[in-house]
Amino acid sequence: MSNITRRNFLAASAVTAGLMGLAGCDATAPAASDETAAPSADSYPIDPDGEGVEAKWASEQVRDGWTRVTQEGGATLGVMDTAKIIQVDGYAFKDLNGNGKLDLYEDWRQSDEDRAKSLADTMSAEEILPLMFHDGMMSTSAPLDEDSEAKLGEGLRAGVSRANANADTYASAIAWINAVQEWCEANDKYGIPYMNSTDPYQLYDIPDNHCLVSSFDPELWKKSGHYTGRAWRVTGARVNLGPQIDIGSNIVYTRLGGSISEDPAANRDLCKAFGGGMQSTWGDDDCTDDKGWGEDSVAIMLKHYVGAGAVEGGRNDHNDAGKYDVFPGDNFNAHLIPFLDGGMHLESSTGQMAAVMPNYGIAYTEDESLGPIWGGAYNRRNLMILRNAGWDGMITTDWQILRETDFGDRAHGVKDMTEPERFEKLLEATVDQVGGDWAVDVATEGYKLYEQEYGEDEALARVRDSARRIFTVMNRVELFDNPYSDRERAKEILNDQAALDFGQEASDRSIVMLKNKGNVISEAGISGKPKCYIPQKSSGGGFFSSTPATVSSAISQDLADELFDVVTDTVDESGESPVITDLPVADMAGCEYVFYVISSPDTGAGEPQGGGFGPDAAPVDPDAPKYLPISLQYRPYTADTARDPSLAGDILEDGTKENRSYRGQSVTASNEADLDRLIEIREALPDAKIILAVEATNNAQCFHEIEPYADVILWSWASSGRNFEQAYGRILKGEVEPTGLLPCQMPKDMETVEASYEDVPRDVECYTDSEGNTYDFCFGLDWAGVIDDERTATYKAAPLTEPETEVIPG
């Protein structure tokens, strides 16, 4: 072993530091040149340079303890142990397997795909099977605990972290992921790093995707992907378990509030823009200088493939009650559009989505024309549509579809199979990773079943394909070359003023003005500082939140005080969580304005237990009806016109099909009192101007109950963060003109909802208000009236029904 490339590593790098003109951490893919041209495959393994070869690389030690190696025209490397660096042709490489030579998979001059295949083809099935899990229930604290080290020792190399690192918590998140990567560097036979993913969460108070869609501006979406992905990447997350691009064609779909819209074209375009913004590394914040995969890149995992927005009853597909997706309008192919025409054609040089997460639901037809009556991850027929279209990315299942866990058994349609048989079916369906689980013993037995069915050679080739696809994603986000995170750069990125300013701009453009009777608000703003009631509201907290609940004014306090003589609620913060007491209506006497915030109706997820899941879910009342309607109104609703019998259902022991209809069942919104409060305020203040801020949660709503009581209606998907408080104030002040458009129809009543088809978007009769405006898809007002621009011309066109990409089932 050369002294220059091993023992005197730091000294050698220091000598060349001036020559290299270090840029610090430029990790974009090296440009092709004669010096960095990849050797032929039969050249490996390659011996390192001998004495006297001039080094073309330099190093610096990062505060977190690892060493960064930079080289002009070459990859940036990161190591904890500098003995892992070898020099070949003057360049630095990582000796991941410690054999003292450069192997093809260690050579950054080779393509990501070739490196991945080279490593995969050297591995046994026993070594690969642990890689086929994407768990993440490890403790996210450093140093690593015994349980975490045990999982890593058994071969776990991918998982989701719910640390939700931000400007306040990034240091601990980085300490943890660096500790994980250090363990992998020191102990893994091949030096395989850990692929850390994250569920989507907000940074810089940039609205969630489903909220941002009201802008109908792909460039805004692209910048959102850029800013968010760069911040996730710098804190250690390399894969986004999203975005969710389900077409919410069932207007009562309980997860529409986590997706994009009900329109195939809008979802396609958001996917292309946001995914391109996140996967590429950009040389500028305008996303014009596309450098492709690089130091800021995060791989996207589009979900949920395919048809989740057409769930019968709108129910939650995490549960048995929501396991069937139905297509009475014969519109299944429309649900492919965001994946085939969006994910496979991103607006960046990265080209295609890196990964896909299949849905829980069963694409139901009685003749099984859409595949067997199995959940999405088991449906080879539908997954092969992606493969046959030329996509060779990583497929990771949604959580807990292999085994029964504390969160339940979500293996819809295959619960009569043994767990090893389920794993065998996942292999047949070309799945690469099982999400939210860790069961190598089950995988081993399932692999043996596959081996018996297809032979040893085919079985080994099959799991090597999965390893290749997993390693390709790892290479795309530079995990093999530099898996470490730098807290100094993270601090800089997370406090980037341009990103913070963008968060406010995006929030401003995510609000839809539905009503403005008599131009109560305008660009002139509100003058005279009239008395106004503005409520307090709670935000934050919950299972996926890293911060406790907080209370703040519904409008930014500074702007509220500038505009109004404010009266408000009382807040008791003496307990664990703040408690808000509504201001009595009598204390609103003299108010000329009221700014009232109301959530959309919440009637649960179509089940007696409210659609909850997990070990803490409420028990099911055995005497309660099994299926309930999801209502879009506050007042009690009885589903007298619902479909009966249901389209889908289990085959019962007597051979008949279960009827999942909810006809005749009744529900009432849990927040019905919010409507009562609004009416009470209007009756007490008949001459006040009521500005209603509707913050929708899960789906659309029927506006006939609240619209008559409001002079102004501002609508948005509920989005945490303080930027909306600023946006409301800026709109009332006249500084910001509303420009948002509705991403879904607002139905006239529940009868039109019941008459609509689950798989067909934009097929309900919409509500028309007192001003003659109809709350249809893509409707919104600005200061001049109904918005009619390029966006509405584009997206008000008839919904697409077929992808441009050819559909070839498996």
Side-chain angles (χ1 to χ4, degrees):
M1 185 57 58
S2 165
N3 287 338
I4 276 185
T5 59
R6 286 294 208 180
R7 299 184 184 89
N8 294 338
F9 168 79
L10 292 176
S13 62
V15 167
T16 57
L19 175 66
M20 297 304 299
L22 283 181
C25 47
D26 180 10
T28 53
S33 68
D34 291 340
E35 289 188 349
T36 59
S40 62
D42 59 6
S43 303
Y44 299 91
I46 300 173
D47 290 326
D49 292 344
E51 299 289 347
V53 177
E54 182 181 15
K56 301 175 183 177
W57 49 273
S59 77
E60 58 178 328
Q61 191 166 36
V62 178
R63 174 182 172 185
D64 300 282
W66 57 278
T67 296
R68 176 188 290 121
V69 173
T70 56
Q71 44 201 336
E72 188 174 355
T76 295
L77 310 179
V79 293
M80 283 289 182
D81 180 5
T82 57
K84 288 287 185 180
I85 296 296
I86 59 174
Q87 181 178 301
V88 173
D89 299 330
Y91 290 99
F93 300 86
K94 290 174 68 173
D95 183 15
L96 292 161
N97 59 16
N99 67 354
K101 298 177 183 292
L102 179 64
D103 296 289
L104 193 152
Y105 84 94
E106 299 166 335
D107 192 338
W108 45 258
R109 296 171 295 185
Q110 297 285 349
S111 71
D112 295 336
E113 298 86 349
D114 288 345
R115 293 177 70 181
K117 186 177 188 307
S118 174
L119 175 56
D121 285 350
T122 67
M123 299 179 69
S124 67
E126 291 74 21
E127 292 171 325
I128 291 172
L129 291 175
L131 301 176
M132 297 184 70
F133 289 88
H134 197 113
D135 189 23
M137 302 311 289
M138 295 193 300
S139 170
T140 54
S141 61
L144 303 182
D145 59 22
E146 290 183 4
D147 290 341
S148 297
E149 289 200 2
K151 279 191 173 182
L152 292 171
E154 293 166 4
L156 180 66
R157 290 295 179 271
V160 56
S161 166
R162 294 196 169 97
N164 291 11
N166 55 42
D168 297 319
T169 63
Y170 68 91
S172 59
I174 287 174
W176 170 75
I177 190 60
N178 282 353
V180 173
Q181 303 295 14
E182 181 178 13
W183 191 98
C184 295
E185 177 186 306
N187 296 283
D188 190 273
K189 175 180 177 181
Y190 300 101
I192 298 171
Y194 186 84
M195 183 162 55
N196 187 31
S197 65
T198 182
D199 282 314
Y201 69 93
Q202 290 176 259
L203 280 171
Y204 311 113
D205 281 342
I206 297 172
D208 292 321
N209 290 146
H210 65 281
C211 190
L212 193 65
V213 72
S214 291
S215 72
F216 283 86
D217 182 352
E219 289 306 308
L220 204 68
W221 296 336
K222 183 180 287 187
K223 290 181 182 179
S224 176
H226 157 59
Y227 282 121
T228 304
R230 183 178 65 178
W232 287 348
R233 169 66 180 264
V234 82
T235 55
R238 307 281 177 122
V239 177
N240 172 19
L241 302 184
Q244 180 182 337
I245 59 173
D246 307 331
I247 297 170
S249 52
N250 185 349
I251 202 66
V252 297
Y253 175 37
T254 194
R255 300 191 70 190
L256 175 58
S259 187
I260 305 305
S261 78
E262 63 172 318
D263 185 71
N267 288 27
R268 173 201 64 198
D269 292 349
L270 167 61
C271 173
K272 291 169 67 173
F274 182 87
M278 183 165 279
Q279 285 197 167
S280 265
T281 291
W282 301 91
D284 62 341
D285 287 341
D286 289 329
C287 297
T288 59
D289 182 13
D290 184 358
K291 298 181 179 299
W293 291 105
E295 66 171 346
D296 295 335
S297 297
V298 169
I300 62 169
M301 184 183 292
L302 297 185
K303 61 184 184 185
H304 305 90
Y305 183 85
V306 58
V311 58
E312 190 169 29
R315 296 181 282 257
N316 190 340
D317 60 7
H318 286 67
N319 306 319
D320 185 82
K323 68 183 178 183
Y324 288 116
D325 302 327
V326 295
F327 304 90
D330 196 25
N331 202 39
F332 173 83
N333 281 4
H335 293 254
L336 294 166
I337 290 171
F339 297 91
L340 292 180
D341 296 344
M344 290 184 60
H345 300 276
L346 300 181
E347 291 182 356
S348 89
S349 59
T350 62
Q352 299 180 343
M353 67 275 189
V356 160
M357 179 183 291
N359 65 324
Y360 286 118
I362 296 166
Y364 181 85
T365 54
E366 289 203 6
D367 63 0
E368 300 190 12
S369 58
L370 296 178
I373 309 301
W374 299 341
Y378 294 93
N379 190 327
R380 176 181 168 87
R381 184 256 184 205
N382 291 341
L383 290 179
M384 285 304 296
I385 293 173
L386 291 173
R387 301 296 192 204
N388 291 337
W391 183 73
D392 192 31
M394 181 176 74
I395 296 177
T396 301
T397 76
D398 213 329
W399 268 218
Q400 286 95 37
I401 59 93
L402 179 63
R403 298 183 305 144
E404 182 172 1
T405 69
D406 290 341
F407 286 87
D409 186 349
R410 301 173 190 163
H412 298 329
V414 297
K415 292 180 181 178
D416 58 341
M417 296 182 189
T418 66
E419 291 170 354
E421 287 172 339
R422 296 179 188 180
F423 189 83
E424 180 190 17
K425 293 301 178 187
L426 294 177
L427 290 177
E428 290 177 347
T430 76
V431 165
D432 303 303
Q433 290 184 323
V434 178
D437 211 339
W438 180 238
V440 179
D441 55 340
V442 173
T444 301
E445 294 304 311
Y447 177 78
K448 290 178 181 177
L449 294 176
Y450 191 95
E451 193 177 48
Q452 292 169 11
E453 179 72 19
Y454 297 98
E456 293 183 7
D457 291 345
E458 174 58 28
L460 181 57
R462 168 63 193 86
V463 294
R464 282 179 171 172
D465 263 347
S466 282
R468 173 183 55 79
R469 289 192 280 258
I470 294 166
F471 293 151
T472 296
V473 175
M474 288 184 170
N475 281 327
R476 298 284 199 223
V477 293
E478 302 178 327
L479 276 168
F480 279 94
D481 292 329
N482 182 16
Y484 296 104
S485 297
D486 179 351
R487 76 175 71 186
E488 295 299 327
R489 184 162 189 261
K491 180 179 180 180
E492 175 187 349
I493 293 297
L494 289 168
N495 289 284
D496 178 35
Q497 190 59 50
L500 293 167
D501 292 343
F502 173 79
Q504 184 61 64
E505 177 193 356
S507 298
D508 293 346
R509 296 177 62 186
S510 297
I511 294 174
V512 185
M513 185 163 67
L514 297 179
K515 184 178 182 181
N516 188 19
K517 183 178 180 180
N519 293 325
V520 167
I521 60 175
S522 69
E523 58 187 335
I526 293 173
S527 61
K529 205 168 184 181
K531 187 176 180 181
C532 178
Y533 166 64
I534 300 175
Q536 300 290 311
K537 66 175 187 176
S538 178
S539 61
F543 181 75
F544 292 113
S545 177
S546 60
T547 57
T550 59
V551 170
S552 60
S553 171
I555 298 177
S556 171
Q557 194 66 57
D558 290 345
L559 287 172
D561 289 338
E562 181 181 345
L563 289 165
F564 300 110
D565 174 15
V566 178
V567 294
T568 189
D569 308 319
T570 58
V571 180
D572 180 1
E573 298 186 88
S574 61
E576 290 186 8
S577 298
V579 177
I580 300 173
T581 301
D582 290 340
L583 181 74
V585 172
D587 293 347
M588 299 181 194
C591 283
E592 298 178 55
Y593 286 83
V594 171
F595 187 89
Y596 186 70
V597 180
I598 191 169
S599 297
S600 56
D602 182 1
T603 62
E607 307 169 66
Q609 69 271 36
F613 61 94
D616 298 325
V620 178
D621 179 356
D623 297 324
K626 191 172 181 182
Y627 305 107
L628 295 173
I630 295 174
S631 174
L632 304 185
Q633 64 183 42
Y634 298 95
R635 297 305 188 200
Y637 167 67
T638 300
D640 291 331
T641 62
R643 179 189 295 131
D644 188 20
S646 62
L647 294 178
D650 297 345
I651 301 302
L652 305 177
E653 291 184 1
D654 63 2
T656 62
K657 188 172 76 172
E658 173 195 21
N659 184 6
R660 292 180 164 228
S661 172
Y662 50 78
R663 176 178 282 187
Q665 301 300 329
S666 301
V667 291
T668 303
S670 61
N671 57 337
E672 182 185 11
D674 293 347
L675 173 59
D676 294 331
R677 170 80 165 167
L678 173 62
I679 295 173
E680 180 185 27
I681 293 172
R682 171 51 78 197
E683 290 177 345
L685 303 170
D687 297 324
K689 305 301 183 184
I690 295 182
I691 301 167
L692 188 62
V694 180
E695 297 186 342
T697 50
N698 293 326
N699 36 39
Q701 73 180 88
C702 300
F703 268 85
H704 66 277
E705 295 171 307
I706 61 174
E707 181 270 326
Y709 300 101
D711 297 280
V712 177
I713 300 177
L714 302 175
W715 181 95
S716 68
W717 286 118
S719 185
S720 61
R722 300 298 174 89
N723 283 345
F724 269 68
E725 299 163 16
Q726 286 282 340
Y728 289 143
R730 286 151 63 91
I731 289 173
L732 299 186
K733 194 176 178 182
E735 290 181 347
V736 169
E737 181 176 21
T739 57
L741 304 171
L742 281 178
C744 59
Q745 294 179 312
M746 299 297 167
K748 172 186 175 184
D749 51 37
M750 285 303 298
E751 283 66 34
T752 188
V753 170
E754 299 293 4
S756 65
Y757 283 160
E758 288 88 343
D759 59 325
V760 178
R762 298 160 53 188
D763 66 340
V764 301
E765 184 179 354
C766 297
Y767 178 72
T768 299
D769 70 9
S770 62
E771 306 307 292
N773 291 317
T774 300
Y775 296 175
D776 205 343
F777 174 78
C778 237
F779 168 76
L781 300 173
D782 57 20
W783 298 141
V786 177
I787 297 172
D788 182 11
D789 58 16
E790 184 179 350
R791 299 172 301 160
T792 58
T794 299
Y795 293 108
K796 277 189 175 181
L800 299 173
T801 58
E802 293 287 337
E804 293 182 4
T805 305
E806 185 179 5
V807 177
I808 305 174

